[in-house]
Amino acid sequence: MNTDWDALTYGTRWSGIYDGLPWPAPDDAVDFLHKLAGDGPALELAIGTGRLAIPLAERGVEIHGLDSSQDMIDKMRQKQGGADIQVTLADISSFEAQPDYSLAFLVLNTIYALQTQEQQVSCFRSAAAALRPGGYFVVEAFMPDPTRFQRNSRAHVLDIGLDHVLIEADKHDPSTQQILEQHIHLKNGGVELFPAFLRYVWPSEMDLMAQLAGLRKVDRFGSWTRDPFTAQSGLHVSVYQRPEQ
Ligand SMILES: C[S@@+](CC[C@H](N)C(=O)[O-])C[C@H]1O[C@@H](n2cnc3c(N)ncnc32)[C@H](O)[C@@H]1O
């Protein structure tokens, strides 16, 4: 698919409303990541507005972050505890960090924000190089579901009221595993568009990316509370490890 999308687009378009979106409560993810972080430090790829990083820091984990969007980072800086987190402006598709981290993590489908397989593989390699031996890389992503689309497109009402309607419209390209999506907010007084462009990955392809980066898969769950990953799972939380040797 041809778009003008780049590493800054998400933050530019979504930062103004991001913290008001109905995200799941962070507690289960924070519990999960806290256990794996050990003595830290931990590195969040695409830290955004600090939804998970701030509560993790509050539990005493030293946490650093990467993000391409100054707009998103600025939102985090305004929150209590957000100004103390060390963040580097960087593209997660290729970055360099000291191999000091006990944990690196990339949540909320953001591996899919990298639109090519090359960028995704490169992200895995960069994350692996940031881990100390025995360190973990955790990825949370939705399970691809091509049956959501009819003839590779879809329109779906997400919310409706007397004075507004929120519609999600998608175009799917199964040959590249890409989805271009618009959240169309129609309300009295106008229309707002919130776009997303992503490349989804099957878990098996993700495991191969990890292998190419020298990581081994140690766990895969269907939720942050460690439910089994099954054919019914809507998402997976995958845990990869840099070997000790
Ligand atoms: C869905 S938000 C997730 C933020 C945060 N991890 C959370 O859980 O709330 C996606 C984030 O990825 C960042 N992002 C998108 N593409 C990126 C890229 N290529 N490099 C670095 N950050 C990127 C955006 O700026 C945004 O902050």
Side-chain angles (χ1 to χ4, degrees):
M1 282 182 197
N2 247 335
T3 73
D4 293 330
W5 190 276
D6 65 25
L8 285 177
T9 314
Y10 186 92
T12 305
R13 298 295 197 108
W14 289 83
S15 60
I17 61 160
Y18 188 81
D19 284 326
L21 295 172
W23 301 119
D27 311 18
D28 294 336
V30 170
D31 284 346
F32 187 103
L33 294 167
H34 186 206
K35 280 192 191 110
L36 284 183
D39 300 337
L43 177 68
E44 180 167 8
L45 281 60
I47 192 169
T49 62
R51 190 181 62 90
L52 298 186
I54 293 174
L56 266 171
E58 281 167 357
R59 293 196 188 188
V61 178
E62 182 185 343
I63 176 146
H64 304 161
L66 305 170
D67 206 285
S68 55
S69 167
Q70 190 62 51
D71 292 340
M72 294 291 278
I73 297 168
D74 288 346
K75 293 282 177 196
M76 180 173 74
R77 295 285 185 231
Q78 290 160 16
K79 296 181 185 172
Q80 191 171 1
D84 304 328
I85 294 174
Q86 184 189 307
V87 181
T88 307
L89 204 56
D91 188 332
I92 58 164
S93 65
S94 179
F95 64 92
E96 279 180 30
Q98 292 296 319
D100 289 341
Y101 292 96
S102 60
L103 172 71
F105 58 99
L106 177 56
V107 300
L108 220 53
N109 316 314
T110 307
I111 184 68
Y112 300 163
L114 307 176
Q115 289 93 24
T116 66
Q117 189 186 57
E118 291 74 14
Q119 288 177 321
Q120 291 167 338
V121 168
S122 167
C123 174
F124 264 83
R125 287 194 205 279
S126 299
L131 294 175
R132 64 183 183 223
Y136 296 103
F137 182 39
V138 174
V139 182
E140 176 204 17
F142 68 75
M143 267 302 285
D145 179 9
T147 65
R148 293 192 321 141
F149 304 103
Q150 262 198 339
R151 297 181 187 235
N152 295 322
S153 77
R154 173 177 190 257
H156 182 67
V157 176
L158 292 176
D159 193 22
I160 193 162
L162 287 185
D163 297 309
H164 82 110
V165 56
L166 181 59
I167 299 168
E168 183 191 302
D170 300 75
K171 200 85 186 130
H172 174 220
D173 181 344
S175 72
T176 56
Q177 299 172 200
Q178 289 171 321
I179 297 171
L180 180 59
E181 192 172 286
Q182 277 288 4
H183 290 230
I184 305 162
H185 200 177
L186 302 166
K187 51 189 174 180
N188 289 339
V191 180
E192 283 183 296
L193 296 178
F194 298 96
F197 183 37
L198 53 94
R199 177 182 187 270
Y200 62 80
V201 172
W202 297 100
S204 52
E205 184 185 2
M206 194 179 286
D207 294 347
L208 213 51
M209 290 181 183
Q211 242 185 72
L212 289 171
L215 299 173
R216 64 183 187 94
K217 187 181 90 180
V218 290
D219 267 321
R220 169 163 290 134
F221 302 103
S223 72
W224 286 111
T225 50
R226 299 175 177 260
D227 289 319
F229 176 68
T230 69
Q232 279 71 47
S233 299
L235 62 83
H236 61 97
V237 176
S238 297
V239 183
Y240 302 99
Q241 187 175 29
R242 179 173 165 183
E244 292 285 354
Q245 307 282 340

